[in-house]
Every structure is written in structure tokens, then in C-alpha cells.
Amino acid sequence: MKAFLGAAAALGLLALAPSAHAARDYVWAAGSSTVFPFSTRVAENFAKKTGRKSPKVESLGTGGGIKMFCGGMGEGFPDIANASRPMKKSEYEACKAKGVKDIVEIKIGFDGIVIAMDKKSPDYNFKLEHLYLGLAQNALRGGQFVNNPYKTWKDVGAGLPANRILVYGPPPTSGTRDAWVELAIEGGAKKFPTAKALHDSDEKGFKAKVDPMRKDGAWIDAGENDNAIVGTLTKTPGALGVFGFSFLEENANVIKGAAVNGVKPTPQTIASGAYPVSRSLFIYVKKGQVGVTPGLKEFLSEFVSDAATGRGGYLQGRGLIPLPPAQHEAAKGAASKLTLMAPPKA
């Protein structure tokens, strides 16, 4: 009788204990709007090949996806964070604080951030400093930071069209926004000795002055739906849009991309780094969920396969710029061996 009661008590405790993924039988990924179409396509192919339930993929922006990913372990949190920039040190520490300690970083390819406009619009050839001067809240003038006074692109640079400055771009939660600010806005500001000296002596002070985008209607946060920005460009004469290269390629019949520092965004110039506003794309995976979430290991294998992210793979057809062969092999190795990422330095 005592043995029976002991067994019953043990079973009762097991029933009360949290069971990983008892209510979820599918892979869950969340994050970057840029990575979203690639992850969705992999999910579709994974479901067709394996017969498993299609993974759930959410477009929340890189920051929003990583925040949810770092919320904890178990069925209530994503297995994967899609990211259009590297994970930050603060995010990594937030993950650790919630018990998300074993994280695998997998680079899946490259993307360029484009400045696009309707095909009927004049061509633009920006310099990085033009993008900073035209779109930052605090513009340098006479060696001083002032509230941005520029109304047209011709005011910013003599060779640019006389169109008013009106740009639709990603919100602060987006990895595209983070990369845009770092590569284009900060990159342009550092072309000026005053800003470069501030950066070298006080990086936090530099970011506080340079990073905020205009709030007077010249820059408009357009949400995470990049296709909506494309639609706006075709209906708003003179407007420009900032988003990932894949959306330019998908809509090349109605929009075109501006040159930056004399370089047009193409798969070749983005992969080589010649196009100045280029970045790497990532997925982050909880090693502890592999073997617990049904199909997670197989989904990762599909994502890094030659058929998906290799040269000529089906994601290249969706606008992903493939990694060089050695980096692609490294990505396959990270997915197979579940190699843990090193803590970010910043």
C-alpha cells in the first residue's frame, strides 16, 4: 500500500512538473522582417520534405524577436531568433538572466540596405555623408551640430535632385534600422572631422548626437512591413524608401535603387562589400531545444543546406546573397555540431 501511495505521489509530482513543449509540436522562429521571407520559404520546403507541421515564423523586427527568444526556455518562447544584425552584448546577457545560456549563432548570408524610389523618379548617387546630413536629427553645419535645416536633397549635395527630403524606413525595433544607423548614418557622420573626433573620444556621446533620425516628417518610421513601403513609393512622387535588397529585387519592375559612393546595390557588390550599406544575416538557436522541439534539428539542416543557402539555392532566388563557400561550410558545421557562440563584445 505504501509503495502504491509512493508511486502515485511520484506520478502526481511529474504531472505538476513543467514538461518542455508538451503543448507544441512545431518549430517557432521570430524576428527580422528581412530574414522573414527566407525563413518562411525554408519552413515551406521543410514541411514538404519531412511531412512535419510547418514551422511558425513571425516578423517582429530583430530586436523584438531576440527579446521574445531571450524570454526563457520551453514551449512559450521561440526556438529561433531571426536577425539582420549580430546579437548585442546586452541581449546576450538578458538571455542568460532568463536561463537561455547555450545559444548557437548561424550566419545564413548577406543583404544590402537599399535606398529605393519609383522607377519614374530621377536617379540618385548618394555619398554616405549625404545620407547623414539629409536624415539625422542633428546635422553638422559649420563644425556645429544643429537641428537639421535641410529641406531638399539638392540642399544636401549639389549633384542630387531637387526633390524634398521624404524617406520611409524601418522603425527602431528593426535590425534593418540598427544596421542603417550604423552603416549609413554613423558612417556618413564620421566623414566629418568634428564627428570623427567625437566618436574617437566619446562613442556614447557620438551616438547620442548622431543616431536619432529626423522627427519633422522628413524620415517616417514605416513599420516592419517592407512591402508596404514599396507600395508607398509607387504612390508618393519623390519619396524614397529604405529596406533590404531582396524587396528591391522582388519589385524591380516598379522601383529602382540609388547608388551609394558610386556603387549600385547588386548581389556582387553586396557580397564583396563594395556596396557600403551591406550586412550579414543570422539565425540564433537554443541548443537546449534541439531534441525537444520536434523537427528543430531537421529545420536547421534544411536552412543551411546547399539547396537553400548555397550558391544557386532557392533562397538566392528570393534575394539572399549567398556566403562564400568557406563561410557556408562553417554555417553547416555550426548547425550540425551546435557550436555555441562566443559572448558578444558590444
Side-chain angles (χ1 to χ4, degrees):
M1 184 66 178
K2 286 182 180 179
F4 173 78
L5 289 172
L11 287 170
L13 288 172
L14 283 172
L16 291 171
S19 59
H21 294 242
R24 179 150 68 79
D25 59 351
Y26 56 87
V27 175
W28 181 9
S32 166
S33 63
T34 300
V35 179
F36 175 77
F38 306 135
S39 193
T40 300
R41 182 65 186 277
V42 174
E44 292 168 355
N45 280 21
F46 162 82
K48 287 177 184 175
K49 288 181 180 179
T50 65
R52 289 184 180 273
K53 191 175 289 186
S54 184
K56 175 183 176 182
V57 184
E58 292 183 286
S59 178
L60 307 174
T62 296
I66 290 178
K67 184 177 181 180
M68 185 181 285
F69 173 86
C70 290
M73 300 292 288
E75 67 190 41
F77 305 95
D79 307 296
I80 296 171
N82 296 330
S84 54
R85 58 158 173 79
M87 182 179 284
K88 298 174 183 177
K89 181 179 180 180
S90 59
E91 293 168 332
Y92 183 83
E93 293 297 331
C95 265
K96 281 179 63 179
K98 292 288 189 177
V100 183
K101 297 178 179 178
D102 294 338
I103 304 172
V104 179
E105 179 185 76
I106 302 171
K107 187 188 290 189
I108 61 166
F110 300 111
D111 183 39
I113 303 174
V114 301
I115 304 97
M117 69 288 302
D118 184 82
K119 272 211 162 179
K120 298 172 187 174
S121 297
D123 290 330
Y124 286 77
N125 186 1
F126 289 111
K127 294 180 179 178
L128 281 179
E129 49 264 48
H130 293 153
L131 298 173
Y132 158 66
L133 287 176
L135 295 170
Q137 178 65 34
N138 303 304
L140 272 170
R141 207 171 192 186
Q144 300 292 321
F145 288 101
V146 299
N147 196 44
N148 199 312
Y150 299 110
K151 303 298 182 187
T152 74
W153 285 112
K154 191 174 182 180
D155 296 336
V156 172
L160 296 174
N163 288 343
R164 65 173 173 150
I165 300 172
L166 175 62
V167 180
Y168 292 84
T173 53
S174 170
T176 301
R177 171 71 162 263
D178 292 334
W180 165 258
V181 168
E182 178 186 348
L183 298 171
I185 304 302
E186 292 183 3
K190 284 187 283 188
K191 299 291 183 181
F192 297 93
T194 299
K196 180 66 166 62
L198 178 61
H199 173 269
D200 293 346
S201 63
D202 179 9
E203 188 172 355
K204 282 189 177 179
F206 168 81
K207 288 179 176 291
K209 279 290 186 186
V210 169
D211 289 6
M213 303 298 288
R214 291 178 70 162
K215 300 175 181 68
D216 58 359
W219 170 273
I220 297 174
D221 289 343
E224 294 290 355
N225 187 345
D226 294 331
N227 281 315
I229 301 179
V230 173
T232 299
L233 299 186
T234 61
K235 299 170 187 172
T236 313
L240 306 182
V242 171
F243 41 73
F245 175 76
S246 63
F247 292 91
L248 173 65
E249 202 165 55
E250 285 175 16
N251 297 279
N253 59 320
V254 292
I255 59 173
K256 59 184 177 179
V260 180
N261 289 356
V263 181
K264 284 269 196 178
T266 68
Q268 293 74 30
T269 60
I270 291 168
S272 69
Y275 180 69
V277 199
S278 303
R279 55 170 172 181
S280 300
L281 304 178
F282 303 87
I283 59 173
Y284 290 92
V285 186
K286 293 171 180 169
K287 182 175 181 178
Q289 307 292 75
V290 176
V292 178
T293 300
L296 179 55
K297 180 74 171 176
E298 293 83 355
F299 180 70
L300 296 180
S301 296
E302 177 63 24
F303 219 132
V304 299
S305 67
D306 294 340
T309 46
R311 292 187 180 276
Y314 58 78
L315 292 186
Q316 187 172 350
R318 291 289 292 267
L320 181 73
I321 313 300
L323 298 168
Q327 290 188 36
H328 177 58
E329 290 303 315
K332 289 199 285 188
S336 173
K337 298 173 185 175
L338 298 174
T339 308
L340 299 184
M341 69 180 286
K345 294 180 180 179

Coordinates of all heavy atoms in Angstrom, one line a residue, residues 42-91:
V42 N 12.1 28.5 -46.2 CA 12.7 27.2 -45.6 C 11.6 26.4 -44.9 O 11.6 25.2 -45.0 CB 13.8 27.6 -44.7 CG1 14.4 26.3 -44.0 CG2 15.0 28.3 -45.5
A43 N 10.8 27.1 -44.2 CA 9.7 26.4 -43.4 C 8.8 25.6 -44.4 O 8.4 24.5 -44.1 CB 8.9 27.4 -42.6
E44 N 8.4 26.3 -45.5 CA 7.6 25.6 -46.5 C 8.2 24.3 -47.1 O 7.6 23.3 -47.2 CB 7.3 26.6 -47.7 CG 6.4 27.7 -47.2 CD 6.3 28.8 -48.3 OE1 7.1 28.7 -49.3 OE2 5.6 29.8 -48.1
N45 N 9.5 24.5 -47.4 CA 10.2 23.3 -48.0 C 10.5 22.2 -47.0 O 10.4 21.0 -47.3 CB 11.6 23.8 -48.6 CG 11.4 24.4 -50.0 OD1 10.3 24.8 -50.3 ND2 12.5 24.5 -50.7
F46 N 10.7 22.6 -45.7 CA 10.9 21.7 -44.6 C 9.6 20.8 -44.5 O 9.7 19.6 -44.4 CB 11.3 22.4 -43.4 CG 11.0 21.7 -42.1 CD1 12.0 20.8 -41.6 CD2 9.9 21.8 -41.4 CE1 11.8 20.0 -40.5 CE2 9.7 21.1 -40.2 CZ 10.6 20.2 -39.7
A47 N 8.5 21.5 -44.5 CA 7.2 20.8 -44.3 C 6.9 19.8 -45.4 O 6.5 18.7 -45.2 CB 6.1 21.8 -44.1
K48 N 7.2 20.2 -46.6 CA 7.0 19.4 -47.8 C 7.9 18.2 -47.8 O 7.5 17.0 -48.1 CB 7.3 20.2 -49.1 CG 6.2 21.2 -49.4 CD 6.6 21.9 -50.7 CE 5.6 23.0 -51.0 NZ 6.0 23.9 -52.2
K49 N 9.2 18.4 -47.4 CA 10.2 17.3 -47.4 C 10.0 16.3 -46.3 O 10.2 15.1 -46.5 CB 11.6 17.8 -47.4 CG 12.0 18.5 -48.6 CD 13.5 19.0 -48.5 CE 14.0 19.7 -49.7 NZ 15.3 20.2 -49.6
T50 N 9.6 16.8 -45.1 CA 9.5 15.9 -43.9 C 8.1 15.4 -43.6 O 8.0 14.5 -42.9 CB 10.1 16.6 -42.7 OG1 9.3 17.8 -42.4 CG2 11.5 17.1 -43.0
G51 N 7.1 16.2 -44.1 CA 5.7 15.8 -43.7 C 5.4 16.3 -42.3 O 4.3 16.1 -41.8
R52 N 6.3 17.0 -41.7 CA 6.0 17.6 -40.3 C 5.2 18.9 -40.5 O 5.1 19.4 -41.5 CB 7.3 17.9 -39.6 CG 8.1 16.7 -39.2 CD 9.4 17.2 -38.4 NE 10.2 16.0 -38.0 CZ 10.0 15.4 -36.8 NH1 9.0 15.7 -36.0 NH2 10.8 14.4 -36.5
K53 N 4.7 19.3 -39.3 CA 3.9 20.5 -39.3 C 4.9 21.7 -39.7 O 6.0 21.7 -39.3 CB 3.4 20.8 -37.9 CG 2.4 21.9 -37.8 CD 1.8 22.0 -36.4 CE 0.8 20.8 -36.1 NZ 0.1 21.0 -34.8
S54 N 4.4 22.7 -40.5 CA 5.2 23.8 -40.9 C 5.6 24.7 -39.7 O 4.7 25.0 -38.9 CB 4.4 24.6 -41.9 OG 5.2 25.6 -42.4
P55 N 6.8 25.1 -39.6 CA 7.2 26.0 -38.5 C 6.5 27.3 -38.5 O 6.0 27.8 -39.6 CB 8.7 26.2 -38.8 CG 9.1 25.0 -39.5 CD 8.0 24.6 -40.4
K56 N 6.3 27.8 -37.4 CA 5.7 29.2 -37.2 C 6.8 30.2 -37.3 O 7.8 30.2 -36.6 CB 5.0 29.2 -35.8 CG 4.4 30.6 -35.5 CD 3.8 30.5 -34.0 CE 3.3 31.9 -33.6 NZ 2.8 31.8 -32.2
V57 N 6.6 31.2 -38.2 CA 7.6 32.2 -38.4 C 6.9 33.6 -38.3 O 5.9 33.9 -38.9 CB 8.2 32.1 -39.8 CG1 9.3 33.2 -40.0 CG2 8.8 30.7 -40.1
E58 N 7.4 34.4 -37.4 CA 6.8 35.7 -37.1 C 7.8 36.8 -37.4 O 9.0 36.7 -37.2 CB 6.5 35.8 -35.6 CG 5.3 34.9 -35.2 CD 5.0 35.1 -33.7 OE1 5.7 34.7 -32.8 OE2 3.9 35.7 -33.5
S59 N 7.3 37.9 -38.0 CA 8.1 39.1 -38.3 C 7.8 40.2 -37.3 O 6.8 40.9 -37.3 CB 7.6 39.6 -39.7 OG 8.3 40.8 -40.1
L60 N 8.8 40.3 -36.4 CA 8.6 41.2 -35.2 C 9.7 42.3 -35.2 O 9.7 43.2 -34.4 CB 8.7 40.5 -33.9 CG 7.7 39.3 -33.7 CD1 8.0 38.6 -32.4 CD2 6.3 39.8 -33.7
G61 N 10.7 42.2 -36.2 CA 11.9 43.0 -36.1 C 12.9 42.3 -35.3 O 12.6 41.4 -34.4
T62 N 14.2 42.5 -35.6 CA 15.3 41.8 -34.9 C 15.2 42.0 -33.4 O 15.3 41.0 -32.6 CB 16.7 42.3 -35.4 OG1 16.8 41.9 -36.8 CG2 17.8 41.6 -34.7
G63 N 15.1 43.2 -32.9 CA 15.1 43.5 -31.5 C 13.9 42.8 -30.8 O 14.1 42.2 -29.8
G64 N 12.7 42.9 -31.4 CA 11.5 42.2 -30.9 C 11.7 40.7 -30.8 O 11.3 40.1 -29.9
G65 N 12.2 40.1 -31.9 CA 12.4 38.7 -32.0 C 13.4 38.2 -30.9 O 13.1 37.2 -30.2
I66 N 14.5 38.9 -30.8 CA 15.5 38.5 -29.8 C 15.0 38.6 -28.4 O 15.2 37.8 -27.5 CB 16.8 39.2 -30.0 CG1 17.5 38.8 -31.3 CG2 17.8 39.0 -28.8 CD1 18.8 39.6 -31.6
K67 N 14.2 39.7 -28.1 CA 13.7 39.9 -26.8 C 12.7 38.7 -26.4 O 12.8 38.2 -25.3 CB 12.9 41.2 -26.8 CG 12.3 41.5 -25.4 CD 11.6 42.9 -25.4 CE 11.1 43.2 -24.0 NZ 10.4 44.5 -23.9
M68 N 11.9 38.3 -27.4 CA 11.0 37.2 -27.1 C 11.8 35.9 -27.0 O 11.5 35.1 -26.1 CB 10.0 37.0 -28.3 CG 8.9 36.0 -28.0 SD 7.8 35.8 -29.4 CE 6.8 37.3 -29.1
F69 N 12.8 35.7 -27.8 CA 13.7 34.5 -27.8 C 14.3 34.4 -26.4 O 14.5 33.3 -25.9 CB 14.7 34.6 -28.9 CG 15.8 33.6 -29.0 CD1 15.6 32.4 -29.6 CD2 17.0 33.9 -28.4 CE1 16.7 31.5 -29.7 CE2 18.1 33.0 -28.5 CZ 17.9 31.8 -29.1
C70 N 14.8 35.5 -25.9 CA 15.5 35.6 -24.6 C 14.6 35.5 -23.4 O 15.1 35.6 -22.3 CB 16.4 36.8 -24.6 SG 17.8 36.8 -25.7
G71 N 13.3 35.4 -23.7 CA 12.3 35.4 -22.5 C 12.4 34.2 -21.7 O 12.0 34.2 -20.5
G72 N 12.9 33.1 -22.2 CA 13.0 31.9 -21.4 C 13.1 30.6 -22.3 O 13.1 30.7 -23.5
M73 N 13.2 29.5 -21.6 CA 13.2 28.2 -22.3 C 11.7 27.6 -22.3 O 10.9 28.1 -21.5 CB 14.1 27.3 -21.6 CG 15.6 27.7 -21.6 SD 16.3 27.7 -23.3 CE 16.5 26.0 -23.5
G74 N 11.5 26.6 -23.1 CA 10.2 25.9 -23.1 C 9.3 26.4 -24.2 O 9.6 27.2 -25.1
E75 N 8.1 25.8 -24.2 CA 7.2 25.9 -25.3 C 6.6 27.4 -25.5 O 6.1 27.7 -26.5 CB 6.0 25.0 -25.1 CG 5.1 25.4 -23.9 CD 4.1 24.3 -23.5 OE1 4.5 23.1 -23.6 OE2 3.0 24.7 -23.2
G76 N 6.8 28.2 -24.5 CA 6.2 29.5 -24.5 C 7.1 30.6 -25.2 O 6.7 31.7 -25.3
F77 N 8.3 30.1 -25.7 CA 9.2 31.0 -26.3 C 9.8 30.5 -27.6 O 9.9 29.2 -27.7 CB 10.4 31.3 -25.3 CG 9.9 31.8 -23.9 CD1 9.7 30.9 -22.9 CD2 9.6 33.1 -23.7 CE1 9.2 31.3 -21.7 CE2 9.2 33.6 -22.5 CZ 9.0 32.7 -21.5
P78 N 10.2 31.3 -28.5 CA 10.7 30.8 -29.8 C 12.0 30.0 -29.7 O 12.8 30.2 -28.8 CB 11.0 32.1 -30.6 CG 10.1 33.1 -30.0 CD 10.1 32.8 -28.5
D79 N 12.1 29.0 -30.6 CA 13.3 28.2 -30.6 C 14.4 29.0 -31.4 O 15.6 28.7 -31.1 CB 13.1 26.9 -31.4 CG 11.9 26.1 -30.9 OD1 12.0 25.7 -29.7 OD2 10.9 26.0 -31.6
I80 N 14.0 29.9 -32.3 CA 15.0 30.6 -33.2 C 14.6 32.1 -33.2 O 13.5 32.5 -33.2 CB 14.8 30.0 -34.6 CG1 15.3 28.5 -34.6 CG2 15.7 30.8 -35.6 CD1 15.0 27.9 -36.0
A81 N 15.7 32.9 -33.2 CA 15.6 34.3 -33.4 C 16.2 34.6 -34.8 O 17.3 34.3 -35.0 CB 16.2 35.1 -32.3
N82 N 15.4 35.2 -35.7 CA 15.9 35.7 -37.0 C 16.5 37.1 -36.8 O 15.8 37.9 -36.2 CB 14.8 35.7 -38.0 CG 14.2 34.3 -38.3 OD1 15.0 33.3 -38.2 ND2 13.0 34.2 -38.7
A83 N 17.7 37.4 -37.3 CA 18.3 38.6 -37.0 C 19.0 39.2 -38.3 O 19.7 38.5 -39.0 CB 19.3 38.5 -35.9
S84 N 18.8 40.5 -38.5 CA 19.6 41.1 -39.6 C 20.7 42.0 -39.1 O 21.2 42.9 -39.7 CB 18.6 42.0 -40.4 OG 17.9 43.0 -39.6
R85 N 21.2 41.6 -37.9 CA 22.4 42.2 -37.3 C 22.9 41.2 -36.2 O 22.1 40.3 -35.8 CB 22.2 43.5 -36.7 CG 21.1 43.5 -35.6 CD 21.2 44.7 -34.6 NE 20.1 44.7 -33.7 CZ 19.9 44.0 -32.7 NH1 20.8 43.0 -32.4 NH2 18.9 44.1 -31.9
P86 N 24.1 41.3 -35.8 CA 24.6 40.4 -34.7 C 23.9 40.7 -33.4 O 23.4 41.8 -33.2 CB 26.1 40.7 -34.6 CG 26.5 41.4 -35.9 CD 25.2 42.1 -36.3
M87 N 23.7 39.6 -32.6 CA 23.2 39.8 -31.2 C 24.1 40.8 -30.4 O 25.3 40.6 -30.5 CB 23.0 38.5 -30.5 CG 22.4 38.6 -29.2 SD 22.2 36.9 -28.3 CE 20.8 36.3 -29.2
K88 N 23.5 41.7 -29.7 CA 24.2 42.6 -28.8 C 24.6 42.0 -27.5 O 24.0 41.0 -27.0 CB 23.4 43.9 -28.6 CG 23.0 44.6 -29.8 CD 22.1 45.8 -29.5 CE 21.6 46.5 -30.7 NZ 20.7 47.6 -30.4
K89 N 25.6 42.5 -26.9 CA 26.1 42.0 -25.6 C 24.9 42.1 -24.5 O 24.7 41.2 -23.8 CB 27.3 42.8 -25.1 CG 27.8 42.4 -23.7 CD 29.0 43.2 -23.3 CE 29.5 42.7 -21.9 NZ 30.7 43.6 -21.5
S90 N 24.2 43.2 -24.6 CA 23.1 43.4 -23.6 C 22.0 42.4 -23.8 O 21.4 41.9 -22.9 CB 22.5 44.8 -23.8 OG 22.0 45.0 -25.1
E91 N 21.7 42.0 -25.1 CA 20.7 40.9 -25.4 C 21.2 39.6 -24.9 O 20.4 38.8 -24.4 CB 20.4 40.9 -26.9 CG 19.7 42.2 -27.4 CD 19.7 42.3 -28.9 OE1 20.6 41.8 -29.5 OE2 18.7 43.0 -29.4

